[in-house]
């Protein structure tokens, strides 16, 4: 809807036989600080109709990507779902690599680093979901605990990628740079810490009588409803279906890791909370397996970017005296030792690589569900069209189905259990 329909909504409500109140609701969720409009038709405390207005955060990310090289596109799409930037990057890069036909040429060490970083990101995203969930239902302690633990995840991103959010770390062909010294130990400490802290978070909520009363049998949406609306992620798994792209359509080598897909049959807000908690525990198992491979296993050494110099962005980065730039060895190589390397570097940075004409779809399992990238190439150095299937956008359709017939207070729990990020909805 365009947001200019207030008069029609009020007139329609007034023309009925019974008294109805039409209200704008929000902001009550961090995602709805003026960027999600909930229009509720109320009969007392009961919600007769719920409508959602979106489009207030539109950034034009997908259109902007048509005016940048394929590699530069990563810097744009990472900002869509800003709580799960690495998943945005991964779906886009997998699509580009599929178009290039180099999916099997990505170095193993790069794939393992991708998986490890995505799972740390899954934990940080779910921590925000549960922290804000607690805040909305009046549990400030939960919010503080969730955000404290997220800081430790962001510290890892900062150490490995140089940024805490919107890293553009996953690039077509691999990752931007290898793990710095001390990263494996730091991530190992993070895993040990979170194993204990997640248990403490469960003690705050799992059997909390106030939390349970606000979440059990609230915002009910069964498997049939999820399938009809295209809902994926924790909301779908809370309805009993173990659909997880890491298992059903594996990518980045996920088929080589041991982990479970948590499900419950409750179809309610409480079940969605339980699924997210269990998913964080499974993510810790995957991270441990990644650390084993990176420290002593098959991915202990090796490149982190594809060998093809016409595609692979220089990945031996190091800070120079001016606080920026490539490693001195790389600069010496392209400036004084190899004319061919200099040409590749110049062409790659100024023009970018060409991608064969065609179109592909590549999807990953983000913290909110299926995040897919439909990329179209006309054979040039820039995307002809890129469109993302963002799970927040699709899952928001479920809010009216969950809310209508319930009470006003339950709307808050319903929206929080979907965990929408409006940057991904509006793009």
């Amino acid at each position: 809807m365009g947001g200019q329909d207030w008069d029609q909504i009020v007139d329609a409500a007034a023309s009925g036989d019974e008294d109805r109140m039409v209200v704008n609701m929000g902001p009550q969720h961090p995602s709805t600080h003026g960027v999600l409009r909930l229009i509720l038709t109320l009969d007392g405390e009961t919600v007769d109709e719920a409508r959602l207005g979106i489009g207030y955060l539109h950034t034009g990310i997908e259109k902007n990507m048509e005016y940048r090289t394929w590699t530069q596109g990563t810097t744009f799409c990472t900002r869509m779902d800003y709580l799960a930037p690495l998943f945005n990057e991964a779906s886009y890069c997998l699509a580009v690599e599929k178009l290039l036909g180099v999916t099997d040429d990505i170095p193993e060490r790069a794939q393992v680093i991708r998986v490890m970083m995505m799972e740390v990101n899954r934990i940080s995203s779910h921590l925000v979901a549960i922290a804000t969930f607690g805040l909305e239902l009046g549990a400030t302690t939960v919010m503080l605990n969730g955000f404290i633990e997220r800081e430790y995840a962001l510290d890892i991103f900062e150490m490995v990628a140089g940024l805490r959010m919107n890293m553009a770390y996953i690039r077509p062909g691999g990752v931007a740079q290898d793990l710095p010294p001390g990263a494996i130990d730091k991530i190992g400490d993070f895993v040990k810490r979170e194993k204990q802290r997640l248990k403490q978070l469960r003690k705050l909520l799992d059997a909390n009588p106030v939390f349970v009363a606000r979440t059990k049998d609230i915002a009910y949406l069964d498997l049939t409803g999820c399938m009809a609306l295209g809902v994926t992620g924790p909301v779908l798994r809370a309805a009993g279906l173990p659909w997880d792209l890491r298992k059903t359509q594996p990518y980045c080598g996920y088929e080589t890791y041991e982990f479970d897909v948590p499900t419950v049959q409750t179809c309610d807000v409480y079940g969605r909370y339980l699924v997210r908690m269990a998913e964080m525990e499974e993510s810790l198992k995957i991270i441990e397996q990644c650390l084993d491979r990176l420290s002593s296993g098959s991915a202990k050494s090796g490149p982190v970017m594809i060998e093809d110099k016409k595609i692979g962005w220089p990945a031996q980065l190091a800070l120079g005296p001016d606080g920026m730039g490539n490693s001195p060895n790389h600069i010496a190589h392209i400036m004084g030792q190899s004319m061919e390397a200099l040409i590749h570097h110049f062409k790659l940075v100024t023009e970018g690589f060409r991608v064969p004409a065609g179109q592909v779809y590549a999807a990953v399992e983000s913290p909110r569900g299926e995040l897919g990238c439909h990329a179209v190439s006309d054979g040039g150095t820039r995307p002809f069209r890129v469109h993302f299937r963002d799970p927040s956008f699709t899952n928001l359709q479920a809010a009216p189905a969950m809310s209508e017939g319930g009470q006003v207070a339950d709307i808050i729990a319903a929206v929080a259990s979907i965990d929408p990020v409006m940057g991904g909805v509006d793009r």
Side-chain angles (χ1 to χ4, degrees), residues 92-124:
Y92 171 69
C93 291
L94 289 173
V96 176
E97 289 159 7
K98 195 181 284 189
L99 278 168
L100 288 165
V102 299
T103 302
D104 296 332
D105 299 332
I106 310 303
E108 183 187 1
R109 185 171 174 85
Q111 295 283 40
V112 176
I113 292 173
R114 283 179 175 184
V115 169
M116 180 179 69
M117 293 289 279
M118 280 193 282
E119 294 307 318
V120 174
N121 198 176
R122 190 182 310 278
I123 292 171
S124 73

Side-chain angles (χ1 to χ4, degrees), residues 45 78 88 149 261 424:
E45 284 286 314
T78 188
N88 303 328
E149 297 315 307
V261 178

Side-chain angles (χ1 to χ4, degrees), residues 363-389:
V364 301
E365 185 68 35
S366 93
R368 274 156 277 284
E370 180 178 337
L371 172 57
C373 174
H374 178 208
V376 183
S377 172
D378 60 0
T381 59
R382 303 182 303 189
F384 178 76
R385 182 79 177 91
V386 182
H387 177 66
F388 289 89
R389 181 219 187 267

Side-chain angles (χ1 to χ4, degrees), residues 142-360:
V142 175
M143 185 273 291
L144 292 172
N145 277 273
F147 274 100
I148 286 169
E149 297 315 307
R150 177 175 179 253
E151 285 297 306
Y152 287 92
L154 298 189
D155 287 344
I156 290 171
F157 297 151
E158 187 175 13
M159 181 182 194
V160 174
L163 293 166
R164 297 166 72 78
M165 295 173 67
N166 307 329
M167 290 77 80
Y169 179 67
I170 298 176
R171 308 268 178 92
V175 296
Q177 59 201 50
D178 205 346
L179 298 176
I184 288 176
D185 291 339
K186 187 180 183 74
I187 297 168
D189 292 342
F190 172 77
V191 171
K192 290 176 189 171
R193 177 186 173 88
E194 294 315 307
K195 283 183 178 179
Q196 298 304 314
R197 294 292 283 153
L198 292 180
K199 288 178 184 175
Q200 293 171 353
L201 204 54
R202 280 188 177 277
K203 285 181 181 178
L204 282 173
L205 290 176
D206 275 14
N208 184 314
V210 177
F211 181 75
V212 170
R214 290 295 309 275
T215 56
K216 270 199 174 175
D217 301 321
I218 300 298
Y220 184 88
L221 186 70
D222 62 13
L223 182 56
T224 304
C226 289
M227 298 296 283
L229 294 167
V231 171
T232 54
V235 180
L236 177 63
R237 292 189 282 275
L241 185 67
W243 180 263
D244 187 315
L245 295 183
R246 294 174 295 172
K247 289 283 191 184
T248 56
Q249 299 170 15
Y251 53 92
C252 293
Y254 266 109
E255 65 275 12
T256 64
Y257 296 86
E258 290 185 18
F259 65 99
D260 297 320
V261 178
T263 60
V264 295
Q265 299 276 357
T266 59
C267 307
D268 61 4
V269 173
Y270 185 66
R272 292 161 207 149
Y273 154 76
L274 291 177
V275 166
R276 289 189 176 96
M277 289 299 298
E279 282 185 7
M280 287 194 282
E281 291 160 356
E282 293 302 316
S283 289
L284 291 174
K285 294 181 188 175
I286 298 173
I287 295 168
E288 284 184 317
Q289 294 171 58
C290 291
L291 291 173
D292 288 340
R293 298 183 191 191
L294 291 167
S295 57
S296 57
S298 55
K300 183 177 180 180
S301 60
V304 295
M305 181 55 75
I306 192 169
E307 293 292 342
D308 188 342
K309 298 302 181 187
K310 293 183 179 179
I311 297 173
W313 197 269
Q316 298 79 37
L317 303 180
L319 288 180
D322 56 355
M324 57 193 295
N326 277 295
S327 68
N329 289 340
H330 180 71
I331 294 170
H333 181 60
I334 64 174
M335 296 303 291
Q337 298 167 15
S338 171
M339 174 60 75
E340 186 181 47
L342 177 60
I343 293 169
H344 284 324
H345 183 92
F346 181 78
K347 291 278 283 182
L348 193 62
V349 172
T350 57
E351 183 185 52
F353 51 78
R354 294 190 177 275
V355 172
Q359 59 179 324
V360 296

